[in-house]
Amino acid sequence: MTHTRTRFAPSPTGFIHLGNIRSALYPWAFARSTGGDFILRIEDTDVGRSTQAAVDVILEGMAWLGLDHDEGPFYQMQRMDRYKEVLLQLQAKGFVYPCYMGVEELDALRERQMAAKEKPRYDGTWRPAPGKVLPPIPSGVAPVLRFMTPQDGVVAWDDKVKGRVEFQNNELDDLVIARPAQAGEAVGTPTYNFCVVVDDIDMAITHVIRGDDHVNNTPRQIHIFRALGAEPPVYAHLPTVLNEQGEKLSKRNGAKPVTQYAKEGFLPDAMVNYLARLGWSHGDDEIFSRAQFLEWFSLDHLGKSAAQFDDAKLRWVNAQHLKAMPGSALAPLVAAHLAERALPTDARLERLCDLLKDRCDTTVALADWVSRFYTDASPDAASLAQHVTDAVRPALRALAQALQDCAWDKASIAAAIKQVLLDTGLKMPQLAMPVRLLVLGTVQTPSLDAVLELLPREKVLSLLSGA
Ligand code: GLU
């Protein structure tokens, strides 16, 4: 098999969201699972809309998700000289011609075509042909350069997602591949489709895996590849990711920047797992590790229909990964959230993570839980009145007494609780609810002995005897 090379080529014109990053995940996974290379290219030629902040989100988001690249990031704006050089080569080969049709003329042409219910397209006025007389060149007009698209036949490719895709060449007009040259320039600024092809050739890309909003660019790009004497890569056009309302996921309708998920306590491996399933499957497997994903991934099981983002499912996947992680791995993540809240941590943290992880779907939720062990509980008055009654106060004091000298471990604490229940005739919940409320501020906690063991004895004693 050839050495595979894939790329992710985002435009930094908005903050990349989950739909965009899935277009990074698959080429990354394909390169990793085939022992190939993954290249990062920033397509920043839309100077007016590209921002450094958006580039930062791309780099941070990919680093967070562990989508490491082997080459790049390459910035298209830094490669302009190269594009112009190749443009001149293409021109020398006779695939390019100057077109002097001005904006007004183009608009008028478009209106005539629309009125005649035709597809608006450039009509080839300036395309040279044997025996054809071109219009006189207007003075003072810098021409655009157009690519001479073949006029007959079809252009087709075997898409790894869509299967065979075919376009009639007579439906493609002659694409503008360079804007008008400015004074002193040998050639004007090359346009998007041309730059992409030069990059894909120079970067020796073997597989282009990208969103299907680019399907209409592909026939044009294939023609440019061939004109430059290069074989087009294999293409896989991924279906759109929809939001929960069924609209295309976009910043405008609420998609969050990828990096926001880190702040909200999602785990990189869970995100990779969730995103992988948005358009790819391995049987019925829903929960898998990064290593399993890379072992299983291939371009043969990409879904054909649009995938829909589902926040509840993402949370569920995250919860499964969280549960499977040992406290030692969760502790540093939780410590970071606690540090943001100016809360200290100590040696209890790992065990707290192990105790509480089953009831949390994010590390932020876990930090919320853990923080109860590092702060004073503030139970609400109504709950106190309900659970800490005169009938149980003596039992609370008795428990404080029994816990005073016992070993501070789960078994000894359990034995003390049992003894108090025996002595007072109370049922477990009658004693456990008020204790939970007093020490953690809520009655819904893991088992009481496990909770108390991870609280300082002095604190427990004073809360029980002072109730
Ligand atoms: N820059 C394009 C985009 O962000 C991707 C181009 C490509 O993958 O060929 O949609």
Side-chain angles (χ1 to χ4, degrees), residues 43-63:
E43 301 200 328
D44 56 352
T45 53
D46 186 343
V47 181
R49 292 172 59 225
S50 297
T51 64
Q52 184 57 42
V55 172
D56 292 343
V57 173
I58 293 168
L59 299 177
E60 278 170 37
M62 291 180 71

Side-chain angles (χ1 to χ4, degrees), residues 7 9-11 43 192 196 210 214:
R7 77 328 189 255
S11 304
E43 301 200 328
Y192 173 73
V196 168
R210 63 183 172 198
H214 289 283

Side-chain angles (χ1 to χ4, degrees), residues 241-297:
V241 179
L242 305 174
N243 68 12
E244 298 203 283
Q245 289 71 44
E247 302 150 345
K248 187 176 163 145
L249 200 64
S250 87
K251 205 179 90 177
R252 276 182 303 283
N253 53 29
K256 294 183 229 177
V258 169
T259 42
Q260 180 64 24
Y261 289 89
K263 298 195 185 93
E264 292 181 13
F266 288 88
L267 300 161
D269 282 7
M271 297 297 294
V272 164
N273 181 164
Y274 178 75
L275 289 170
R277 286 288 292 105
L278 270 184
W280 168 86
S281 58
H282 179 264
D284 293 332
D285 290 308
E286 290 289 358
I287 301 296
F288 40 81
S289 68
R290 185 179 292 256
Q292 283 172 313
F293 172 48
L294 293 184
E295 192 187 318
W296 295 336
F297 186 76

Side-chain angles (χ1 to χ4, degrees), residues 7-13 20 23 41-43 76 192 196 200 208-211 213-214 217 221 235:
R7 77 328 189 255
F8 177 45
S11 304
T13 51
N20 307 133
S23 298
R41 175 167 95 218
I42 308 288
E43 301 200 328
Q76 286 191 319
Y192 173 73
V196 168
D200 285 341
V208 166
I209 304 165
R210 63 183 172 198
D213 45 335
H214 289 283
N217 289 326
Q221 293 181 5
Y235 288 99

Side-chain angles (χ1 to χ4, degrees), residues 103-146:
V103 177
E104 281 154 34
E105 235 181 307
L106 278 168
D107 285 346
L109 172 64
R110 165 184 288 265
E111 271 172 34
R112 279 200 305 280
Q113 289 168 330
M114 305 265 269
K117 304 240 178 303
E118 287 167 16
K119 196 169 152 189
R121 60 205 298 278
Y122 177 65
D123 65 356
T125 299
W126 289 91
R127 178 175 172 128
K132 176 175 171 185
V133 180
L134 294 177
I137 294 180
S139 63
V141 179
V144 299
L145 295 183
R146 287 189 184 266

